[in-house]
Amino acid sequence: MRFVFLGAPGVGKGTQAEMVSVKYGIPKISTGDLLRAAVTQHTPLGKEVKQFMDRGDLVPDNVVIGLVEEKISIPEYAKGFILDGFPRTVPQADTLGTLLTTKELSLDRVVHFVIPREEVINRLSGRRSCSQCPAVYHVEFVPPKRDGVCDECGGELVQRRDDQKETVESRLTVYEEQTSPLIDYYRKNNVLAELNGSGSVDDVQERLVALLSAS
Ligand code: AP5
């Protein structure tokens, strides 16, 4: 099982990738999570990418390609994986294709999550992320049991820097310009499926599992 979750910022890719990962027992690779962890830990990689992420720009292709290449080469990923937020440019997609071909592998499905723009803004403006672990909440739609506290680890919930209004606008523009061409790219490869990402988290999960099971 090798899946790519594609879609604009805030459509729910990360939330669903986590659920599918648990359900099918396959790891997810979220380039956003990997990069944020590097920033939080002040690693040399984190220092290199922070400025791009704070502005809502994409991190250079060679950096994210290196991260993904490293991950999918380890045995844990041999039985499958979910790529959340990668690829995001045509060069990233080309490199992923070459990487898989050399291992005699291919993608089973690229799921394009679709929700209206105003829903994206609502989801991003209410998102709260744990400062200690990858858990993600929403103040209205996916609230934690205790205000401001992570259910999983008790960490403080914070708003991502790039979820501020001006940065969200810029991320949406970057998505339209640099990532949305991948919709046609994968449609031409016959692996693309559109998913209606509106509705509750559980409704979306039900639709997604039906789609992946038919892959
Ligand atoms: P990344 O973290 O990948 O950001 P993104 O693609 O913009 O996606 P988001 O994490 O914002 O949204 P999501 O679709 O995962 O939604 P979520 O499930 O959280 O990347 C961040 C940055 O890293 C980039 O800007 C770039 O700088 C860099 N980067 C990462 N990958 C890169 C790459 N490949 N190349 C170059 N640079 C890269 O849901 C959003 C909110 O909605 C949450 O609050 C959630 O609780 C809520 N929610 C989810 N589902 C529902 C639902 N059904 N109903 C109501 N609320 C819901």
Side-chain angles (χ1 to χ4, degrees):
M1 293 184 200
R2 283 171 295 277
F3 304 122
V4 166
F5 287 2
L6 176 71
V11 287
K13 305 180 295 295
T15 301
Q16 295 296 332
E18 181 58 33
M19 293 168 80
V20 170
S21 168
V22 172
K23 187 172 178 68
Y24 289 116
I26 52 171
K28 69 163 184 157
I29 303 171
S30 163
T31 41
D33 285 352
L34 293 173
L35 294 167
R36 270 186 296 282
V39 171
T40 307
Q41 290 156 19
H42 305 288
T43 65
L45 170 69
K47 286 177 190 152
E48 184 185 344
V49 301
K50 185 176 186 307
Q51 50 174 330
F52 295 99
M53 297 178 75
D54 284 351
R55 285 198 304 264
D57 287 340
L58 294 184
V59 166
D61 285 339
N62 64 319
V63 175
V64 274
I65 287 169
L67 279 177
V68 171
E69 204 169 353
E70 195 182 306
K71 283 278 178 197
I72 63 177
S73 301
I74 55 181
E76 191 193 338
Y77 294 80
K79 66 173 179 173
F81 48 77
I82 305 155
L83 286 168
D84 161 28
F86 181 93
R88 248 168 153 113
T89 62
V90 170
Q92 289 180 21
D94 285 341
T95 309
L96 175 65
T98 308
L99 209 62
L100 292 176
T101 305
T102 57
K103 293 175 187 289
E104 298 184 359
L105 300 172
S106 58
L107 292 173
D108 294 298
R109 223 5 129 208
V110 174
V111 183
H112 173 215
F113 286 65
V114 186
I115 65 172
R117 189 186 165 91
E118 57 276 16
E119 248 181 87
V120 163
I121 308 281
N122 282 344
R123 288 189 187 180
L124 290 179
S125 60
R127 173 163 58 189
R128 296 294 179 270
S129 305
C130 181
S131 53
Q132 306 297 325
C133 79
V136 174
Y137 301 85
H138 189 282
V139 288
E140 186 183 345
F141 308 130
V142 190
K145 293 192 183 86
R146 278 176 56 208
D147 258 6
V149 180
C150 177
D151 295 347
E152 306 293 327
C153 74
E156 184 193 1
L157 301 185
V158 295
Q159 185 169 35
R160 267 170 51 174
R161 278 174 79 98
D162 61 351
D163 279 348
Q164 281 156 18
K165 198 168 176 296
E166 327 66 74
T167 320
V168 165
E169 290 297 334
S170 145
R171 284 164 64 203
L172 289 171
T173 305
V174 167
Y175 174 78
E176 281 310 320
E177 291 175 357
Q178 299 189 54
T179 307
S180 68
L182 294 182
I183 299 166
D184 269 349
Y185 180 104
Y186 283 119
R187 190 176 283 128
K188 284 181 190 143
N189 287 1
N190 291 321
V191 282
L192 190 86
E194 302 274 348
L195 179 81
N196 172 5
S198 292
S200 73
V201 170
D202 289 342
D203 288 345
V204 177
Q205 174 71 183
E206 203 173 310
R207 288 197 288 269
L208 176 59
V209 167
L211 190 158
L212 297 180
S213 305
S215 297

